[in-house]
Amino acid sequence: PETVTVQELANRMAERGANVIKALMKMGVMATITQSIDADTAELVVEEFGHKAKRVADSDIEIGLVAPQDDADKLTSRAPVVTVMGHVDHGKTSLLDALRQTDVVSGEAGGITQHIGAYQVTRPSGQKITFIDTPGHAAFTAMRARGAKVTDIVILVVAADDGIMPQTVEAIRHAKAAEVPIVVAVNKIDKPDADPNRVRTELLNHDIQVEEMGGEVLSVEVSAKQKLNLDKLEEAILLQSELLDLKANPERSAEGTVIEAKMEKGRGSIATILVTRGTLRVGDVFVAGKEWGRVRAMVDERGQRIDEAGPAVPVEVLGFAGTPDAGDDFVVVEDEARAREVAEYRQRKEREALAVKSARGGSSMEQLFA
Ligand code: GDP
Ligand code: MG
């Protein structure tokens, strides 16, 4: 049977829970805020408040949430989004730090200093590249498990003095499974025992043929430590990006992905959003996974307040009612009622799924002790 909790009904009407309880009492129905009432009763309450009732099946709630594909003539080029992967100690963090310093617009602001989970650099040519600032396979796979495909290109870092190691192989596997092209960064070429040729040869064993080996995979020799060839690496990224022909419509309400999220004392729940299409603005109301909110402020990777963020721009968003999860979708919706409706629906679905799971767990425990 269709039911709705008093709280949910109140939220959907944007009325106070206490007033809904009072209205129910007048109708002779005693219910607390967390109790469920049937659809017929709910409809009467809705009319009592002067609203028009419209019953929607659960499955209808998410329909239309994500906008259909944009018309081709609305699309404009966007920056590539890049993730750095590779074996431990091969220089992922060092490379991300070095690339951060290639940004030319930081100037007075003192550079890209905030670690918000992603940053965007502007090259002297004006072209931009977005880097996901959390190296590692866990983040990549966690996002992919949630259906989020944020990465356009994987930078595979391989230390020239160490060669292909287990996590290098793992990274290759992840990138291939996600069908994301790889650009190889042969790192630590400043070291006396560096052997970039060995790296290129070993890569052949893993189905990666770099250009020097007659293949098509771009590869660049770099030193994160001495900041050698970082411009060449960025050029390779942009070349790969051109082949991918990355585009998005900036002129629509924003959609994106949660890159990371946390609870901060005094600031509330904060999340870094990577906008995938549209433009996000202060004041926008949104749903992010099972949470919702209204953009109270946005801060970029330089710690500067900004008013809007377009496609491929990462931005720290304040104004969440709760903390979402990395990899959650982020969608701007028309109003608070819609945002609450979707968030509550998703929360309820999760509660139900958990209940089913624990019920199943319970029975298997019984079997265990039978
Ligand atoms: P990660 O585990 O992949 O993030 O690797 P790190 O960036 O933490 O680097 C591991 C070690 O390698 C650190 O001691 C770095 O200073 C060093 N390292 C990173 N890149 C280079 C490089 O280009 N040349 C040299 N000589 N050392 C490097
Ligand atoms: Mg590291």
Side-chain angles (χ1 to χ4, degrees), residues 49-367:
F49 279 92
H51 299 294
K52 229 172 114 66
K54 188 174 131 220
R55 287 195 203 179
V56 251
D58 270 359
S59 53
D60 289 346
I61 288 177
E62 301 218 18
I63 289 178
L65 186 64
V66 170
Q69 283 207 326
D70 295 288
D71 293 336
D73 61 334
K74 297 269 166 57
L75 301 176
T76 55
S77 292
R78 65 163 175 85
V81 180
V82 177
T83 299
V84 173
M85 298 214 272
H87 196 71
V88 64
D89 281 346
H90 279 200
K92 298 180 294 293
T93 304
S94 306
L95 188 61
L96 280 163
D97 284 341
L99 288 163
R100 192 178 278 116
Q101 291 162 32
T102 64
D103 181 54
V104 296
V105 300
S106 295
E108 310 267 292
I112 298 175
T113 52
Q114 313 288 310
H115 286 264
I116 65 169
Y119 63 86
Q120 192 177 63
V121 297
T122 303
R123 307 196 66 233
S125 60
Q127 288 166 300
K128 294 170 195 289
I129 303 174
T130 303
F131 292 96
I132 303 289
D133 202 4
T134 43
H137 313 172
F140 187 80
T141 37
M143 291 216 186
R144 222 162 65 80
R146 290 176 165 276
K149 188 186 176 278
V150 291
T151 301
D152 301 308
I153 297 167
V154 163
I155 302 292
L156 182 69
V157 180
V158 190
D161 61 338
D162 203 23
I164 309 297
M165 298 301 279
Q167 285 166 288
T168 318
V169 178
E170 204 182 291
I172 293 170
R173 211 156 35 82
H174 285 315
K176 289 203 167 178
E179 295 178 356
V180 176
I182 289 173
V183 171
V184 179
V186 182
N187 191 32
K188 307 199 187 185
I189 52 156
D190 59 288
K191 287 193 138 187
D193 51 346
D195 188 354
N197 240 329
R198 185 181 128 212
V199 172
R200 290 189 280 265
T201 310
E202 286 178 349
L203 281 171
L204 291 175
N205 297 332
H206 300 278
D207 266 346
I208 296 196
Q209 270 186 292
V210 297
E211 282 185 317
E212 294 89 331
M213 295 293 183
E216 291 185 342
V217 176
L218 302 174
S219 117
V220 183
E221 295 180 11
V222 300
S223 165
K225 194 173 186 176
Q226 298 194 349
K227 304 195 170 48
L228 291 174
N229 291 347
L230 299 178
D231 52 342
K232 284 200 181 125
L233 179 59
E234 290 183 343
E235 275 157 27
I237 293 166
L238 289 169
L239 188 61
Q240 181 63 59
S241 151
E242 255 171 57
L243 296 171
L244 295 170
D245 194 25
L246 304 168
K247 288 185 167 162
N249 174 7
E251 297 187 345
R252 40 161 299 119
S253 62
E255 287 171 19
T257 304
V258 176
I259 299 297
E260 61 175 42
K262 61 189 175 207
M263 185 56 198
E264 243 181 50
K265 271 216 179 94
R267 291 173 90 204
S269 291
I270 298 175
T272 295
I273 305 302
L274 180 67
V275 177
T276 49
R277 62 200 285 215
T279 297
L280 183 62
R281 295 193 170 84
V282 171
D284 282 349
V285 177
F286 60 82
V287 181
K290 302 182 298 292
E291 307 296 339
W292 70 280
R294 181 188 290 274
V295 181
R296 203 166 70 227
M298 298 196 286
V299 182
D300 70 11
E301 62 276 62
R302 295 169 195 87
Q304 311 273 41
R305 289 238 175 177
I306 55 172
D307 295 327
E308 50 177 54
V313 175
V315 69
E316 201 176 48
V317 172
L318 283 76
F320 281 79
T323 314
D325 293 311
D328 276 346
D329 63 343
F330 177 98
V331 187
V332 168
V333 295
E334 58 269 25
D335 55 28
E336 228 175 272
R338 178 79 172 122
R340 282 174 184 272
E341 178 187 44
V342 176
E344 276 158 16
Y345 166 65
R346 290 174 172 182
Q347 282 170 18
R348 177 156 45 87
K349 253 195 351 191
E350 188 188 59
R351 274 197 305 276
E352 285 166 5
L354 282 175
V356 168
K357 216 166 135 190
S358 75
R360 282 209 194 113
S363 65
S364 70
M365 281 299 268
E366 277 162 29
Q367 282 158 12

